[in-house]
Amino acid sequence: MKIKCNKPRMTLFEGVFATLLFDLALFGTENPIINGIIYLFTTIQNSWDKSFKNEEEAERSIAEFCNRLDIQQKPWVWEKDPKKYLSLNEFFSRTYKESHFPPIGSGQVVSPACCVLQLYNNDATMRSVLIKGCEYSIESIGLPAEDIEAFRSHHVILGYLSPKDYHRVHSPIEGKCIYCKMEGEERLSASVKFFGGKFNILNENKRLVIVIETKEGVKVALVIVGGVGVNTITYDPTIVGKHIQKAQELSAFRAGGSAFAMFSSHPLHLIKDLKDVAEKGKGDNVEVQVGETLAGYICS
């Protein structure tokens, strides 16, 4: 299967700016000017909660938002008519009409979101290529302690969601939810850490940690992270112990850009395109749709 990246996700300026923000915010910076820029961006994003005055304003504002970020309008694939959204934030966390939801791949592991992926063979490779000296620790993410060594040793998949993307996260596998916990609940947004001069959203920001176990004993952990400008991660805290279908919705973001990290307790048999990217070890980007096949898992 060939994963194509031939459609613009946002304007060139917005793309460069968003990439800069995520690269800095994910693992940190000590530059107070950059921190100030990101704080300003967060303030703007938080204004999306303001309710529209009427249906005409809703329709106009959403059309402008879609035009600016190249969000699909024809055909209209989203669940509500533009006039029926109450705010930009509600539209930001939109979902698809059932008839237009992207097809779910037949593979055992599928993409949790519409996003750009970066793939690494293990946590050490990710640290050496991407993190480069920031005070990141897999032990501080919030993963179950008994599984950290297994998660450390196998593929790590990072997903970056831009402001134009569909901002709901789905299960990459079918299995039983054995762990679900919100870490950093006291942090209302990514801006909380900006004033300290250094931030690390995998260890510091509000993040939802979910672990799903297959019938074969493979565990996949999703660390769903509120990135720049994100105030809220919505989810069902009662899913622990329940059976989860592949591509079942797990959470949604409101306002801003977002990210996730996916860890596996067993080796993943990546599809060829992704395997080539992971083996290069350079953190190259691959654009995928939610539900698109990523891999199978290898059980010992």
Side-chain angles (χ1 to χ4, degrees):
M1 183 185 72
K2 178 67 175 176
I3 298 176
K4 299 180 180 179
C5 305
N6 55 358
K7 292 184 179 180
R9 294 165 58 81
M10 50 193 359
T11 67
L12 177 60
F13 173 78
E14 289 166 333
V16 171
F17 187 63
T19 299
L20 172 65
L21 292 182
F22 272 120
D23 285 348
L24 292 172
L26 188 58
F27 296 113
T29 178
E30 295 182 353
N31 189 321
I33 296 175
I34 295 297
N35 287 350
I37 293 172
I38 298 176
Y39 173 68
L40 176 61
F41 181 80
T42 300
T43 302
I44 295 171
Q45 302 292 73
N46 291 347
S47 71
W48 291 1
D49 269 327
K50 184 179 179 181
S51 297
F52 296 130
K53 295 177 182 178
N54 50 49
E55 290 187 348
E56 289 73 21
E57 183 184 28
E59 186 172 38
R60 182 180 66 254
S61 297
I62 288 174
E64 291 173 354
F65 186 78
C66 290
N67 289 334
R68 188 167 67 249
L69 294 181
D70 191 36
I71 296 172
Q72 181 171 335
Q73 298 179 73
K74 295 182 180 181
W76 187 257
V77 298
W78 312 113
E79 62 174 338
K80 291 184 181 182
D81 185 280
K83 295 179 180 179
K84 300 303 180 183
Y85 288 98
L86 301 179
S87 67
L88 274 180
N89 216 342
E90 186 186 16
F91 178 69
F92 180 84
S93 58
R94 66 197 177 276
T95 190
Y96 288 94
K97 293 178 183 176
E98 187 174 346
S99 59
H100 286 84
F101 196 88
I104 306 304
S106 59
Q108 292 172 309
V109 183
V110 299
S111 175
C114 296
C115 60
V116 165
L117 296 181
Q118 292 183 357
L119 298 99
Y120 301 92
N121 282 327
N122 50 49
D123 183 68
T125 303
M126 181 179 71
R127 288 179 61 92
S128 65
V129 173
L130 187 61
I131 302 173
K132 298 179 181 177
C134 183
E135 296 175 3
Y136 155 81
S137 168
I138 190 173
E139 289 85 358
S140 300
I141 291 176
L143 299 167
E146 64 271 20
D147 297 318
I148 284 179
E149 287 307 312
F151 289 144
R152 188 199 307 273
S153 303
H154 300 110
H155 286 103
V156 182
I157 300 177
L158 299 182
Y160 297 87
L161 288 70
S162 79
K164 71 158 287 184
D165 286 323
Y166 165 72
H167 265 72
R168 301 197 180 200
V169 180
H170 296 249
S171 177
I173 62 172
E174 179 179 358
K176 180 180 179 181
C177 179
I178 61 172
Y179 187 88
C180 178
K181 184 180 180 182
M182 184 73 77
E183 296 286 343
E185 282 192 275
E186 72 283 1
R187 296 177 174 90
L188 298 180
S189 75
S191 64
V192 172
K193 277 289 172 181
F194 293 172
F195 298 103
K198 187 168 185 175
F199 43 93
N200 171 353
I201 69 175
L202 273 179
N203 289 162
E204 298 293 346
N205 263 43
K206 180 182 288 188
R207 58 203 180 277
L208 177 63
V209 181
I210 297 177
V211 180
I212 299 170
E213 184 174 14
T214 71
K215 61 183 180 180
E216 297 86 1
V218 176
K219 297 178 183 179
V220 171
L222 268 182
V223 184
I224 301 167
V225 185
V228 177
V230 172
N231 281 336
T232 304
I233 304 172
T234 62
Y235 71 105
D236 177 6
T238 69
I239 63 172
V240 175
K242 295 181 180 179
H243 185 81
I244 305 297
Q245 297 291 339
K246 183 177 69 175
Q248 178 177 328
E249 185 179 316
L250 297 177
S251 69
F253 294 106
R254 292 178 67 82
S258 317
F260 68 82
M262 186 165 75
F263 299 83
S264 174
S265 65
H266 288 65
L268 296 179
H269 182 65
L270 298 171
I271 62 170
K272 185 180 185 304
D273 290 351
L274 299 184
K275 183 178 180 181
D276 292 345
V277 170
E279 288 180 349
K280 287 180 183 177
K282 297 180 180 179
D284 290 342
N285 293 333
V286 179
E287 185 175 348
V288 295
Q289 293 295 312
V290 62
E292 192 165 356
T293 294
L294 301 182
Y297 39 77
I298 303 171
C299 303
S300 55

